[in-house]
């Protein structure tokens, strides 16, 4: 009898715990185009120590939606909020619990108010704040920027052979690589200025991407501060890097070795295929487009003419 009473009490405790846990961690379904508010008329407004979770189930993939994108927009008066992201509500809660257990710092989360998500995958966000806010999910059925990136990737892929032997592209590419390398040197220098580097590295290992993003924000903030306070020195630094890169390219001269040109061509074509793949959230469709592009490129023109001639004869 005592065992039965204990079992009933334990079952009652689990039910109450799950109900209270569900109330504290409220979950809402995001509907494209619908604005949701929190938490002016929420009966649990006082329970803001826990995140409010918003989930989007995602839409089915299709070729028509190859350049579709989705943006979650948040309208809040101040940046005093914490954002947690995951594929499911459970992952959001696990991230919230892990960060709350190891860190009590608010800078471990994104501070942007626009969040791009994959419209085809299930995505959940947890928002914890003491401020009232509005949140809207906007689905863009044809993202022109993604379409432009795809077109640029196709052009780069087909023009790679001409670009690999073009002197102007050689100098522009060399100068760009030199300036980018000098920018990486600046990032490395500012990263060395971060205090307590070993504890921060340990924190990155524990919390993953959250603290890493915070470190990047610090480095980027320092670079912006330098750009605002000393713009002439920064421009001079990049100008010297560009001139030095040009002199090195001029000293080496354009590439004349056929094998070197082939390597440059393949590299440019790889960049073009990567742009095509990254231009779509529908990775299967983007990969299929890359494969189709390779097949068309590698197929001899004589074969294409024969196929077209055969199709034309069948139609006649």
């Amino acid at each position: 009898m005592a065992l039965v009473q204990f079992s009933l009490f334990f079952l009652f405790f689990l039910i109450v715990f799950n109900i209270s846990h569900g109330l504290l961690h409220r979950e809402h379904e995001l509907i494209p185009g619908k604005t949701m508010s929190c938490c002016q008329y929420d009966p649990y407004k006082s329970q803001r120590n826990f995140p409010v979770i918003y989930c989007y189930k995602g839409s089915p993939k299709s070729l028509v939606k190859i350049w579709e994108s989705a943006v979650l927009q948040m309208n809040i008066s101040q940046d005093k909020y914490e954002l947690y992201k995951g594929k499911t509500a459970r992952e959001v809660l696990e991230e919230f619990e892990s960060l709350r257990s190891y860190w009590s710092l608010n800078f471990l989360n994104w501070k942007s108010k626009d969040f791009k998500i994959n419209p085809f995958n299930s995505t959940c966000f947890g928002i914890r704040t003491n401020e009232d806010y509005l949140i809207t999910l906007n689905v863009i059925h044809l993202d022109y920027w993604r379409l432009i990136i795809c077109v640029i990737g196709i052009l780069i892929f087909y023009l790679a052979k001409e670009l690999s032997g073009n002197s102007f592209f050689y100098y522009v590419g060399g100068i760009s690589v030199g300036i980018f390398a000098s920018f990486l040197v600046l990032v490395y220098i500012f990263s060395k200025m971060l205090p307590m580097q070993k504890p921060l590295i340990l924190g990155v290992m524990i919390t993953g991407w959250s603290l890493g993003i915070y470190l990047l924000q610090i480095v980027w903030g320092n670079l912006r501060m330098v750009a605002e306070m000393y713009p002439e020195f920064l421009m001079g630094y990049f100008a010297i890097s560009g001139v030095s890169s040009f002199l090195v390219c001029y000293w080496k001269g354009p590439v004349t070795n056929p094998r070197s040109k082939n390597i440059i061509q393949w590299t440019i074509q790889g960049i073009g295929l990567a742009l095509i793949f990254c231009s779509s959230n529908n990775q299967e469709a983007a990969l299929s487009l890359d494969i189709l592009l390779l097949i068309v490129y590698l197929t001899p023109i004589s074969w294409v003419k024969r196929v077209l001639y055969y199709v034309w004869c069948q139609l006649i």
Side-chain angles (χ1 to χ4, degrees), residues 51-117:
V52 181
I53 299 177
Y54 302 89
C55 291
Y56 177 60
K57 296 180 179 179
S59 61
K61 295 181 179 180
S62 65
L63 292 177
V64 180
K65 302 178 181 179
I66 185 172
W67 292 297
E68 184 174 284
S69 62
V71 180
L72 185 68
Q73 295 179 335
M74 185 177 179
N75 186 4
I76 188 171
S77 58
Q78 300 181 12
D79 291 339
K80 296 180 180 180
Y81 67 91
E82 299 174 7
L83 181 74
Y84 307 91
K85 184 180 178 181
K87 294 182 180 179
T88 61
R90 175 171 293 184
E91 290 186 5
V92 173
L93 294 178
E94 289 177 354
E95 182 181 356
F96 167 71
E97 295 293 342
S98 63
L99 293 179
R100 187 176 65 168
S101 300
Y102 290 103
W103 304 90
S104 59
L105 303 175
N106 293 334
F107 55 69
L108 291 177
N109 301 282
W110 292 95
K111 290 303 179 184
S112 175
K113 295 182 181 180
D114 294 333
F115 315 99
K116 294 183 179 180
I117 65 175

Side-chain angles (χ1 to χ4, degrees), residues 20 23-26 43-52:
S20 62
L23 292 177
L24 293 176
H25 302 95
R26 290 149 287 162
Y44 308 104
K45 186 174 181 179
S46 60
Q47 301 173 346
R48 294 199 174 186
N49 294 326
F50 299 90
V52 181

Side-chain angles (χ1 to χ4, degrees), residues 55-202:
C55 291
Y56 177 60
K57 296 180 179 179
S59 61
K61 295 181 179 180
S62 65
L63 292 177
V64 180
K65 302 178 181 179
I66 185 172
W67 292 297
E68 184 174 284
S69 62
V71 180
L72 185 68
Q73 295 179 335
M74 185 177 179
N75 186 4
I76 188 171
S77 58
Q78 300 181 12
D79 291 339
K80 296 180 180 180
Y81 67 91
E82 299 174 7
L83 181 74
Y84 307 91
K85 184 180 178 181
K87 294 182 180 179
T88 61
R90 175 171 293 184
E91 290 186 5
V92 173
L93 294 178
E94 289 177 354
E95 182 181 356
F96 167 71
E97 295 293 342
S98 63
L99 293 179
R100 187 176 65 168
S101 300
Y102 290 103
W103 304 90
S104 59
L105 303 175
N106 293 334
F107 55 69
L108 291 177
N109 301 282
W110 292 95
K111 290 303 179 184
S112 175
K113 295 182 181 180
D114 294 333
F115 315 99
K116 294 183 179 180
I117 65 175
N118 192 323
F120 307 113
N121 294 342
S122 175
T123 308
C124 291
F125 289 91
I127 300 175
R128 178 176 176 268
T129 180
N130 292 324
E131 305 292 332
D132 296 331
Y133 59 88
L134 300 175
I135 189 169
T136 307
L137 177 64
N138 293 321
V139 176
I140 306 172
H141 298 290
L142 179 58
D143 193 334
Y144 292 103
W145 285 111
R146 292 185 176 273
L147 178 59
I148 291 173
I149 292 174
C150 182
V151 173
I152 292 175
I154 295 174
L155 292 177
I156 289 176
F157 180 84
Y158 275 104
L159 297 177
K161 187 174 183 179
E162 288 75 12
L163 293 175
S164 62
N166 187 281
S167 299
F168 177 77
F169 179 79
Y170 166 77
Y171 285 106
V172 171
I175 294 173
S176 301
V177 171
I179 294 177
F180 181 72
S182 64
F183 175 76
L184 293 181
V185 172
L186 277 181
V187 172
Y188 176 77
I189 293 174
F190 280 104
S191 64
K192 285 294 184 180
M193 297 180 181
L194 293 176
M196 301 181 299
Q197 293 184 16
K198 291 184 178 180
L200 287 177
I201 293 175
L202 180 61

